[in-house]
């Protein structure tokens, strides 16, 4: 009878350890998935925003191919939604600052507006690196 109780206790302990292991594995997979989704959204946002910042500064919204412009803005908006859902409030605020600075740019923009947009962009990239745990926090 004692052996049966010990075997039952061993089986129960094994099930508990198995359940804890499965829970920890699921938690780790979720953390990796969230980081991957955040990274994908960050890359898309940074890429599309950089492209639009450069184009808005050189030729302005009206000088761009409008289909191309719409596609880049669509990518920017989708990735911005991803950042809004997955990132901290600080990151979302900085992404909004970049978007607002972008909309103020044009070929007739002065140097201060261009500098403000570039500063907002650099601040966002720095925050994204921090949030994603990048070792390249220097700039």
């Amino acid at each position: 009878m004692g052996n049966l109780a010990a075997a039952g206790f061993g089986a129960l302990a094994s099930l508990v350890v198995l359940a804890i292991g499965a829970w920890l594995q699921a938690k780790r997979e979720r953390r990796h998935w969230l980081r991957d989704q955040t990274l994908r959204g960050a890359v898309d946002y940074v890429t599309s925003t950089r492209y639009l910042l450069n184009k808005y500064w050189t030729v302005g919204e009206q000088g761009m191919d409008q289909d191309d412009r719409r596609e880049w803005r669509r990518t920017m908006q989708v990735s911005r939604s991803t950042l809004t859902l997955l990132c901290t409030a600080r990151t979302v605020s900085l992404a909004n600052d970049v978007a607002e600075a972008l909309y103020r740019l044009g070929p007739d923009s002065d140097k201060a507006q261009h500098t403000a947009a570039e500063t907002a962009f650099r601040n966002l990239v720095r925050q994204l690196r921090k949030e994603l745990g990048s070792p390249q926090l220097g700039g």
Side-chain angles (χ1 to χ4, degrees), residues 30-41 86 132:
R30 183 178 190 287
R31 190 174 58 245
H32 284 273
W33 182 85
L34 283 172
R35 186 181 188 285
D36 289 346
Q37 296 302 311
T38 304
L39 179 61
R40 185 173 297 129
L86 300 177
L132 290 166

Side-chain angles (χ1 to χ4, degrees), residues 4-100:
L4 188 58
F9 179 73
L12 181 62
S14 295
L15 285 175
V16 168
V17 168
L18 183 66
I20 291 172
W23 176 73
L24 290 173
Q25 177 68 20
K27 190 173 178 175
R28 185 175 71 214
E29 286 178 9
R30 183 178 190 287
R31 190 174 58 245
H32 284 273
W33 182 85
L34 283 172
R35 186 181 188 285
D36 289 346
Q37 296 302 311
T38 304
L39 179 61
R40 185 173 297 129
V43 167
D44 287 348
Y45 192 77
V46 167
T47 302
S48 59
T49 304
R50 168 55 40 209
Y51 177 83
L52 289 168
L53 281 169
N54 290 343
K55 285 294 188 175
Y56 277 34
W57 176 251
T58 56
V59 297
E61 186 176 323
Q62 298 307 317
M64 293 178 69
D65 175 280
Q66 294 304 303
D67 291 334
D68 188 44
R69 179 181 149 274
R70 276 190 288 281
E71 185 59 31
W72 282 104
R73 287 199 47 191
R74 187 198 66 73
T75 301
M76 181 184 152
Q77 289 304 100
V78 168
S79 56
R80 187 173 168 193
S81 296
T82 301
L83 295 180
T84 299
L85 291 171
L86 300 177
C87 292
T88 63
R90 170 124 174 91
T91 302
V92 172
S93 175
L94 290 171
N96 291 338
D97 292 347
V98 170
E100 289 171 15

